[in-house]
């Protein structure tokens, strides 16, 4: 595991974006595993900037996102499909049919999980971007006595729904379920890029990276992967030696 701590968030974004741009230069048909949330927004902005500056095309790139809410169509501004279009896909030259998220409107959620996992099996990500939840979650894989390996549907915990309620008209509009890649799907990526910012995540960063490997801290399972790159801002890294 390689851990880099950056003085500023901008330096972190720049470094992460360069990793993606360098990969696409070397491998124009790269497969990228992507994430949503607040953590990647600055990275996506830098990727867009660097792609323009260096004339790098995403025409051959394929992407798979970690997760999506069950029941939200891509037009809903809280869906992860909407987020990805807003922050990245509409601003680079990637063909829409090469971008993938679980289909939040799938009629048969179990069949949708199988379909998504089969695509990941066939073309594992060259690099998988991950943020980190305060309780150690990755994707929507929450702390639990056991974890599902492949893509699956999770019941969202009340605390997760409450934390997200501010983005919706009311608590009733917050989805109760989500699709997520499982920890097994995530670990299939060739390289994993874990990005964490902020003092409020310093304790979970230390637990996940240096504590026991346990499903009670899903990100601690990343310790079993041979190629993990961790990018932290100074605040998120403050409890590491
Ligand atoms: C996003 C995702 C989540 C977030 C995590 C951190 O696709 O799967 O695991 O990465 O909740 O969220 P932020 O970045 O908003 O702190």
């Amino acid at each position: 595991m390689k851990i880099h701590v950056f003085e500023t968030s901008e330096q972190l974004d720049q470094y992460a974006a360069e990793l993606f741009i360098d990969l696409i230069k070397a491998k124009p048909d790269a497969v990228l595993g992507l994430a949503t949330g607040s953590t990647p927004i600055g990275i996506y902005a830098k990727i867009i900037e660097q792609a323009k500056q260096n004339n790098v095309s995403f025409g051959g790139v394929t992407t798979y996102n970690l997760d999506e809410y069950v029941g939200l169509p891509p037009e809903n501004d809280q869906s992860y499909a909407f987020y990805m279009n807003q922050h990245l896909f509409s601003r680079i030259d990637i063909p829409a049919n090469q971008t993938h998220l679980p289909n939040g409107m799938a009629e048969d959620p179990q069949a949708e999980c199988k379909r998504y996992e089969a695509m990941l099996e066939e073309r594992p990500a060259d690099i998988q971007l991950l943020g980190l939840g305060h309780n150690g979650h990755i994707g929507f894989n929450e702390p639990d006595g056991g974890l599902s390996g492949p893509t699956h549907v999770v019941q969202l915990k009340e605390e997760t729904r409450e934390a997200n309620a501010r983005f919706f008209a009311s608590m009733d509009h917050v989805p109760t379920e989500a699709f997520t890649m499982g920890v097994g799907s995530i670990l299939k990526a060739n390289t994993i890029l874990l990005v964490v910012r902020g003092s409020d995540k310093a304790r979970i960063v230390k637990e996940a990276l240096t504590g026991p490997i346990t499903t009670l801290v899903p990100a601690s399972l990343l310790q079993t992967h041979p190629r993990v790159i961790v990018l932290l801002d100074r605040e998120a890294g403050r409890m590491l030696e």
Side-chain angles (χ1 to χ4, degrees), residues 34-40 65-67 80 130-134 137-141 180 201:
L34 300 177
T36 56
S38 57
T39 306
N65 263 78
L66 280 170
D67 40 19
Y80 289 167
L130 294 178
L132 177 67
H134 287 103
H137 72 230
I138 46 177
F140 269 118
N141 296 282
T180 183
K201 291 194 181 160

Side-chain angles (χ1 to χ4, degrees), residues 7-116:
E7 276 305 304
T8 69
S9 249
E10 202 191 342
Q11 286 167 354
L12 187 162
D13 293 335
Q14 188 78 27
Y15 186 93
E18 270 168 31
L19 286 181
F20 282 100
I21 294 291
D22 287 349
L23 170 67
I24 297 163
K25 276 187 190 161
K27 189 176 177 191
D29 62 347
V31 179
L32 311 180
L34 300 177
T36 56
S38 57
T39 306
I41 291 178
I43 298 174
Y44 293 148
K46 287 280 178 209
I47 288 178
I48 294 161
E49 200 179 293
Q50 290 184 22
K52 278 205 186 104
Q53 278 165 7
N54 298 287
N55 251 327
V56 172
S57 171
F58 281 70
V61 169
T62 301
T63 68
Y64 293 100
N65 263 78
L66 280 170
D67 40 19
E68 177 60 287
Y69 288 115
V70 170
L72 294 194
E75 310 78 59
N76 185 303
D77 64 3
Q78 290 312 316
S79 73
Y80 289 167
F82 189 96
Y83 167 112
M84 287 309 301
N85 275 326
Q86 182 183 25
H87 291 290
L88 187 65
F89 298 153
S90 67
R91 299 162 68 190
I92 53 175
D93 66 341
I94 191 162
N97 64 356
Q98 286 163 216
T99 66
H100 305 275
L101 289 97
N103 173 8
M105 299 306 285
E107 276 186 20
D108 180 345
Q110 294 313 322
E112 176 59 9
C113 292
K114 283 203 178 126
R115 182 190 75 87
Y116 205 69

